[in-house]
Amino acid sequence: ALQEGSNALLESPTGTGKTLCLLCAVLGWRRQYMEDQRIKKMEERAHKAAEQKFDLAGKALASVPCRVIYSSRTHGQLSQVVKELKKTSYK
């Protein structure tokens, strides 16, 4: 669904770890997507530099917009997700 920009509907009982599982999966996908975009931009600039014969040194890469927005109904739910998320590599 992330690659295709479509929606996904998942169903599982309360307390099975859906939120953290999906959030970590999305953050992992985002990390890889951002790295792929960074490499793509570098390759495009290197190709352009070779064609136009200018130096790439010191040029900053443009940021690629890719945001993850998480929301919840209560502050307690948000606090619990943040607490659990801090235990992962996506701190």
Side-chain angles (χ1 to χ4, degrees), residues 23-25 27-29 31 85-91:
L23 194 52
C24 286
L27 293 173
W29 174 86
R31 182 182 285 170
L85 192 60
K86 285 182 178 179
K87 296 176 185 177
T88 72
S89 65
Y90 303 106
K91 299 174 185 172

Side-chain angles (χ1 to χ4, degrees), residues 19-20 23 68-73 77-79 81-82:
T19 299
L20 190 61
L23 194 52
V68 175
I69 299 171
Y70 175 77
S71 64
S72 184
R73 290 183 296 141
Q77 290 170 331
L78 291 172
S79 296
V81 168
V82 169

Side-chain angles (χ1 to χ4, degrees), residues 35-47:
E35 179 64 15
D36 292 347
Q37 293 301 309
R38 187 184 69 79
I39 291 169
K40 183 178 175 183
K41 286 279 188 193
M42 286 175 58
E43 290 171 349
E44 288 172 1
R45 287 188 175 175
H47 180 70

Side-chain angles (χ1 to χ4, degrees), residues 45 54-62:
R45 287 188 175 175
F54 64 86
D55 187 17
L56 287 177
K59 293 202 180 235
L61 290 172

